[in-house]
Amino acid sequence: DTAVSQTPKYLVTQMGNDKSIKCEQNLGHDTMYWYKQDSKKFLKIMFSYNNKELIINETVPNRFSPKSPDKAHLNLHINSLELGDSAVYFCASSQAPGDPYGYTFGSGTRLTVV
Amino acid sequence: GQNIDQPTEMTATEGAIVQINCTYQTSGFNGLFWYQQHAGEAPTFLSYNVLDGLEEKGRFSSFLSRSKGYSYLLLKELQMKDSASYLCTTGANNLFFGTGTRLTVIP
């Protein structure tokens, strides 16, 4: 059983389109995150939800909107995709913010905007 | 603010020992984590230090000095499969990552 699963694994789309990435965790964790890893491999926090409530919203364009229907799911919707959005997006979860057992990451979604 | 500094790349020989250093600055400290990330894969949790000193876990050990804002990851008996990026990270409500250290193990 996959602990944190993301779909799709690969996403190729044209500029201007709207797309969604889904994430689900079956670990019973309370906190979920979205990270973006760019071509330089820099892993940057985008959003964090604790028990369906948004707790971190880093400086991310308004075109990115997270949604957490329940604490096991955190989806990411992106409007009007731009070339610079091309990256690998990782979902992660933890028991709580700053959990000493660390985060469990999903396998990533490689987004390519053409 | 937050800042993580690690060497960008390191190369070591199979069977050897390698030490990957990390210095950090953070406004809220809740422990220091090390993650391993193989190319094209997700980061996986390796270790956690919240008190000063050395934590040993098999071939991997991690050290922390909070007063110096310094940590290192020690990998012993290197294997080819240890070729990966190693990410030092810390933070309070979320983990702040640097770009990591890409380690290449050569025969």
Side-chain angles (χ1 to χ4, degrees), chain B residues 69-80:
Chain B
Y70 168 69
S71 173
Y72 67 72
L73 181 70
L74 193 71
L75 292 77
K76 301 175 189 173
E77 300 168 19
L78 278 172
Q79 301 175 10
M80 300 300 289

Side-chain angles (χ1 to χ4, degrees), chain B residues 80-103:
Chain B
M80 300 300 289
K81 68 178 182 180
D82 296 330
S83 291
S85 287
Y86 291 86
L87 309 170
C88 167
T89 175
T90 185
N93 287 326
N94 75 89
L95 294 182
F96 178 82
F97 289 85
T99 53
T101 299
R102 179 152 57 176
L103 173 68

Side-chain angles (χ1 to χ4, degrees), chain B residues 44-56:
Chain B
T44 55
F45 171 74
L46 282 180
S47 69
Y48 170 73
N49 294 66
V50 68
L51 300 176
D52 290 352
L54 188 68
E55 294 276 345
E56 297 187 69

